[in-house]
Amino acid sequence: MSRAPRSATAKRDWGADESGTSIMHVDMDAFFASCELARRPELRGLPVIVGGRERGVVLAATYEARAFGVRSAMSMASALRLCPQAVVVPPDHRLYQDVSRSIMELLGQITALVEQVSVDEAFLDVSGARRRLGPPTVIGARLRELVHARHGVTCSVGIAQNKFVAKLASTHAKPDGMLLVPADATVAFLRTLPVGALWGVGEKTEQALGRWGITSVAQLADTDVATLQAAVGKVAGAHLHDLAWGRDPRPVVPGRDERSIGAETTFAQDLWDLRAVEKHVLALADKVAARLRGQGLVGRTVAVKVRTSDFRTLTRSRTLNGPTDVGREIYLVSRELLAAADLRGLPVRLVGVRMENLSARAGLAEQPTLEEAASPRGEARREAELALDAVRQRFGSSSISLGARAEPRPTTEPDAAGLSWTR
Amino acid sequence: MKFRVERDVLADAVTWTARTLPTRPPAPVLAGVRIEADASGVIGLSSFDYEVSARSEIPAEVAEPGTVLVSGRLLAEISRALPHKPVDVTLEGTKVVVTCGASRFTLLTMPVEDYPTLPQMPELTGTVGGDALTHAVAQVSVAASRDETLPLLTGVRMEIEGERITLLATDRYRLALRELTWTPTTPGFSAVALVKARTLTDVAKSLGSGGGLVNVGLSTGNGLDLIGFEAGGRHTTSQLVDGDYPPVRRLFPDTKPIHAVVPTQALIDAARRVALVAERNTPIRLSFTDGQVVLDAGQGDDAQASEALEAVLVGEDITVAFNPQFLLDGLTALGTDFVRLSFTHPNKPVEFTGQESLDGDDSDTYRYLLVPIRFAG
């Protein structure tokens, strides 16, 4: 769900010249919520929020709910204060993944140049598909029809000369729309936007620019680079100036660039007992590992997030020697990270486990250690977790999970080969 | 204190003594070299960082005995830059004046009384040939870890059993073992010691390169575990690394159903060429079939390279992949005309040994065990 600032004046017809605009940004509208509506049509027209009811956060909301001020990442409690009549639906990530995969396959039929940015968003370079399928607006319209017909969800399409403008175009096409920004209208289009609409301009940068009196993209474009660099730094200054003039040289890189996979739990009651928190960490590590395996990915960095009762959030991460998709490994590292976090003696409200630094497992070359080669316990462990995946596939995700009791403490106990390397 | 000494002798001794001085010493005095001038005509130079100590003695004309402490690095640089003339070193008040020909340097002294006492060179436990030691240490230390978070593995393990010393080192991915003979002072002497690989390499190079005998002293179990090496008027002591070394010897395979023999230098050259296209963390593959080995690296859209070499293969065809650097480390350490690679399974460690001829037997005095790269299925 995009929270980027939009401009009412930008949402208009910018012309029909499609030469030089081959980059398309496809963004599902309120994706999780739309998926829920598609399978429960009786909810259509109602404010629907996807997220955990008990002390959870908003993952997605229908436009009816958004009209009340509900936004993603907002706590469920505040969302329900704004919109008490909302229907809260617990998330079903498997459904969203399935729909997403199917839509991405559809995109792959248009062109091989599909860059999946997240579960509900992708860039396409359709320059090679023009002769076969027609101009981008025709491709976009057909795609929107197909997605709606097959999955009952809507998407918005932005078409422009580069990724950055295409993304802005789709944002301004929402919901359920399409916007073409012709190459020669790019600068005019951008000049209608506030600086906050630009990629990479967050609250801090916005404030820094505001101190120089720069609040719109037009002002940004008219400011000389040196002044911008003085305001926000050398690299960012030059970059923003380029964006303000519609310059974005990044190509569409095929493949999905999932930056991280994580899961978190907010407890019904704050937990004092770290052992109890560890149990949740185990379940989360198990879940994250299963998702990694499901997508054929491995991660190299384990990050743990802990929020204490005073809402202070700590994040600790560690990069492993080699990438993994094994829940036990993720758990052992997560537990050490958790133990090392200074909670100031406060109970824990939320805990999360995330794998970053992801890469495809296929073709991955790994240098095992002598002890791993002597007793391939990691492999055996992975086999066991694959077996869990198979059981879950048949009997549901809660049918089986990693057990904690069999886990040794992460100390320097000699392993199966009798080798302890750490001290 | 006042003495006159040969420029080359001084430069050489100061450079050697100061070589292990820390760049950022925990205490200023530890950046110093202590100079002791003895009335008998001997100058003693010492350095110490609480872990490693070095001491060298050189002849000099001592006019006035005494002891001073000056910056080791500076004194080493100055003495190397001096013209080839006798050098006079004199203590004047709190400064040391170094004069040589028309050059004159003044160095500040540091308080000698703050300088720690150097550990005694442990009693002689045996002697080893300098060249043999240098070579053996170089062969083994390639496999030692450079990761300071695993202190145990930054060491070389010395296992002394009578006239045989076995050196072992591993960084978890490869393991090197080298046996050499020495002459213990007590027959049947038996001990184990773990010495920092960096220190041992340095000692073996600087003391063993003369080609003479190196005296080794080992003192364990007296609270402070220390090893000392002495040759040609110089000695170094080093604290031993503490901890239980993993039982790595058992990692060497018992049975080796497949082996291949390849000319070492040809394999090194081919591996270097093929490795040019191997990016960081990508392996180089070796496919052995009857009569040849094909090396290749790179796949998919990346740059690729391959090269074939003649090889003798005994047993089934086998393909293994290695980290190129680890492969080259082992091959270059061998020092024999032919290398034998012994296999059990494509995912199990491969043993590298040396042999003198294509159809001869291999020598097991040096063994390099390397874990192949594994590809995710």
Side-chain angles (χ1 to χ4, degrees):
Chain A
M1 176 166 15
S2 172
R3 286 178 294 154
R6 294 169 207 178
S7 152
T9 51
K11 189 173 181 173
R12 65 169 178 88
D13 190 355
W14 289 93
D17 178 9
E18 296 187 47
S19 56
T21 53
S22 290
I23 308 299
M24 186 181 282
H25 182 246
V26 180
D27 197 358
M28 310 308 298
D29 300 323
F31 183 54
F32 293 178
S34 302
C35 288
E36 295 296 343
L37 292 191
R39 74 165 160 193
R40 293 168 67 182
E42 71 274 14
L43 295 178
R44 279 193 196 283
L46 297 177
V48 174
I49 301 176
V50 177
R53 179 169 270 288
E54 295 297 320
R55 317 207 313 160
V57 294
V58 175
L59 295 174
T62 58
Y63 288 88
E64 288 81 1
R66 292 187 197 193
F68 289 89
V70 175
R71 295 287 177 266
S72 69
M74 178 180 270
S75 81
M76 189 59 79
S78 352
L80 288 176
R81 266 197 297 279
L82 292 167
C83 183
Q85 70 274 42
V87 179
V88 178
V89 180
D92 177 359
H93 289 283
R94 179 163 293 241
L95 170 73
Y96 313 148
Q97 289 287 349
D98 287 347
V99 176
S100 167
R101 200 170 303 130
S102 167
I103 292 171
M104 292 303 159
E105 275 171 27
L106 199 59
L107 299 184
Q109 288 166 16
I110 296 171
T111 171
L113 290 176
V114 178
E115 178 178 342
Q116 186 176 349
V117 183
S118 69
V119 69
D120 60 350
E121 204 185 329
F123 286 104
L124 283 75
D125 181 340
V126 297
S127 45
R130 280 174 184 253
R131 284 187 64 176
R132 194 163 49 90
L133 302 171
T137 49
V138 172
I139 298 174
R142 178 84 187 116
L143 171 70
R144 287 176 9 87
E145 262 169 45
L146 276 175
V147 167
H148 187 253
R150 289 196 186 170
H151 300 287
V153 299
T154 61
C155 61
S156 297
V157 170
I159 299 165
Q161 61 180 1
N162 58 40
K163 282 161 76 170
F164 150 69
V165 183
K167 168 136 179 142
L168 283 174
S170 75
T171 304
H172 285 90
K174 276 184 177 297
D176 195 13
M178 181 163 71
L179 182 64
L180 164 72
V181 178
D184 56 9
T186 302
V187 173
F189 167 71
L190 292 173
R191 290 183 76 94
T192 62
L193 305 176
V195 281
L198 297 186
W199 255 353
V201 178
E203 212 173 303
K204 270 224 163 115
T205 312
E206 208 172 336
Q207 281 173 9
L209 290 170
R211 279 194 286 277
W212 290 75
I214 302 166
T215 57
S216 72
V217 175
Q219 288 167 325
L220 187 68
D222 295 339
T223 309
D224 68 68
V225 181
T227 309
L228 288 178
Q229 289 177 329
V232 298
K234 204 160 184 157
V235 177
H239 179 62
L240 287 181
H241 196 257
D242 277 347
L243 291 185
W245 286 97
R247 292 187 289 257
D248 176 19
R250 293 165 311 156
V252 172
V253 183
R256 68 182 286 125
D257 181 24
E258 186 114 35
R259 276 176 221 99
S260 67
I261 287 183
E264 55 187 54
T265 308
T266 304
F267 306 126
Q269 280 185 345
D270 295 347
L271 289 183
W272 286 98
D273 181 6
L274 222 49
R275 286 294 178 97
V277 178
E278 281 180 6
K279 268 191 191 163
H280 287 276
V281 168
L282 175 66
L284 292 169
D286 183 18
K287 193 167 164 183
V288 168
R291 281 174 61 192
L292 283 171
R293 289 191 298 269
Q295 298 184 30
L297 296 171
V298 286
R300 220 187 146 96
T301 303
V302 181
V304 168
K305 176 165 129 186
V306 196
R307 183 170 296 148
T308 43
S309 57
D310 58 349
F311 275 83
R312 199 170 62 107
T313 308
L314 297 147
T315 311
R316 296 285 177 272
S317 67
R318 184 188 302 165
T319 298
L320 311 170
N321 281 328
T324 187
D325 60 0
V326 177
R328 175 182 167 271
E329 282 181 38
I330 299 172
Y331 168 60
L332 292 179
V333 175
S334 302
R335 193 169 59 176
E336 283 183 31
L337 290 170
L338 177 69
D342 177 12
L343 306 179
R344 298 188 189 160
L346 291 170
V348 178
R349 177 185 164 83
L350 170 152
V351 68
V353 173
R354 178 165 291 279
M355 287 303 284
E356 298 165 356
N357 225 333
L358 306 185
S359 54
R361 182 178 144 81
L364 184 80
E366 178 197 12
Q367 171 72 66
T369 62
L370 285 157
E371 80 240 61
E372 283 161 357
S375 70
R377 212 166 56 137
E379 272 307 297
R381 191 70 212 186
R382 188 168 187 280
E383 299 288 317
E385 293 192 12
L386 282 173
L388 291 188
D389 293 347
V391 172
R392 288 178 186 134
Q393 191 95 45
R394 281 191 66 184
F395 302 106
S397 58
S398 56
S399 57
I400 192 167
S401 62
L402 276 186
R405 220 174 305 159
E407 301 299 327
R409 306 295 303 174
T411 55
T412 56
E413 290 166 28
D415 60 24
L419 306 181
S420 170
W421 302 85
T422 38
R423 288 274 162 269
Chain B
M1 185 194 72
K2 186 172 181 166
F3 63 86
R4 165 170 285 204
V5 63
E6 287 299 317
R7 180 261 183 206
D8 287 352
V9 173
L10 178 73
D12 204 32
V14 175
T15 302
W16 183 82
T17 311
R19 80 201 184 286
T20 55
L21 288 176
T23 349
R24 280 187 209 85
V29 287
L30 296 180
V33 159
R34 188 176 61 179
I35 308 172
E36 293 169 86
D38 192 274
S40 63
V42 173
I43 306 295
L45 299 160
S46 340
S47 69
F48 187 38
D49 67 359
Y50 285 109
E51 190 181 312
V52 178
S53 81
R55 185 179 158 86
S56 53
E57 292 187 346
I58 50 173
E61 294 166 33
V62 179
E64 271 175 50
T67 306
V68 294
L69 184 64
V70 294
S71 159
R73 210 162 288 276
L74 192 55
L75 183 62
E77 277 173 26
I78 290 171
S79 54
R80 281 198 298 269
L82 289 174
H84 288 266
K85 290 187 173 143
V87 183
D88 288 301
V89 180
T90 318
L91 176 66
E92 290 177 7
T94 58
K95 287 173 182 167
V96 166
V97 178
V98 178
T99 43
C100 177
S103 310
R104 181 187 157 91
F105 291 88
T106 309
L107 282 83
L108 285 180
T109 61
M110 292 184 276
V112 182
E113 57 278 12
D114 292 352
Y115 199 70
T117 313
L118 263 65
Q120 287 284 318
M121 169 79 189
E123 226 171 280
L124 183 71
T125 37
T127 55
V128 59
D131 287 338
L133 180 70
T134 311
H135 186 217
V137 168
Q139 283 184 306
V140 167
S141 55
V142 290
S145 175
R146 282 155 195 87
D147 181 356
E148 295 291 335
T149 61
L150 299 170
L152 202 61
L153 300 186
T154 61
V156 169
R157 178 173 165 96
M158 299 175 72
E159 298 179 356
I160 305 172
E161 206 58 61
E163 295 190 344
R164 190 172 65 193
I165 300 180
T166 308
L167 302 178
L168 286 156
T170 180
D171 64 358
R172 309 178 73 195
Y173 305 110
R174 58 251 171 93
L175 164 64
L177 177 150
R178 173 65 148 87
E179 286 174 350
L180 73 160
T181 51
W182 79 318
T183 316
T185 41
T186 325
F189 177 83
S190 163
V192 290
L194 189 57
V195 192
K196 271 258 169 75
R198 193 161 30 87
T199 309
L200 188 61
T201 304
D202 179 65
V203 165
K205 264 193 209 150
S206 64
L207 294 182
S209 55
L213 289 178
V214 175
N215 294 328
V216 181
L218 189 62
S219 112
T220 53
N222 311 330
L224 185 66
D225 292 347
L226 209 63
I227 191 164
F229 298 89
E230 191 265 318
R234 292 172 179 177
H235 77 244
T236 287
T237 66
S238 172
Q239 261 181 53
L240 297 182
V241 182
D242 202 21
D244 293 325
Y245 205 72
V248 291
R249 264 178 195 261
R250 67 166 82 163
L251 294 169
F252 286 103
D254 301 326
T255 55
K256 296 166 261 186
I258 309 170
H259 78 254
V261 183
V262 193
T264 313
Q265 194 55 47
L267 185 56
I268 291 173
D269 294 342
R272 284 210 177 110
R273 279 191 287 270
V274 171
L276 291 175
V277 301
E279 286 175 37
R280 214 178 132 258
N281 296 329
T282 66
I284 169 167
R285 254 182 315 272
L286 277 67
S287 310
F288 293 89
T289 49
D290 190 27
Q292 72 164 9
V293 53
V294 176
L295 286 77
D296 78 282
Q299 55 188 12
D301 295 337
D302 301 331
Q304 295 166 27
S306 71
E307 183 161 345
L309 285 179
E310 275 187 54
V312 168
L313 176 68
V314 176
E316 284 173 36
D317 292 359
I318 190 163
T319 299
V320 289
F322 293 118
N323 168 317
Q325 192 53 52
F326 292 176
L327 172 67
L328 286 166
D329 283 347
L331 293 176
T332 42
L334 274 172
T336 52
D337 288 348
F338 294 89
V339 52
R340 175 185 296 223
L341 294 88
S342 304
F343 313 92
T344 47
H345 180 273
N347 282 346
K348 293 286 180 189
V350 177
E351 187 186 274
F352 292 70
T353 47
Q355 60 189 62
E356 294 309 327
S357 64
L358 195 59
D359 48 6
D361 285 331
D362 64 328
S363 150
D364 60 1
T365 54
Y366 179 63
R367 291 189 269 168
Y368 183 82
L369 192 66
L370 173 58
V371 184
I373 299 262
R374 196 162 52 196
F375 293 94

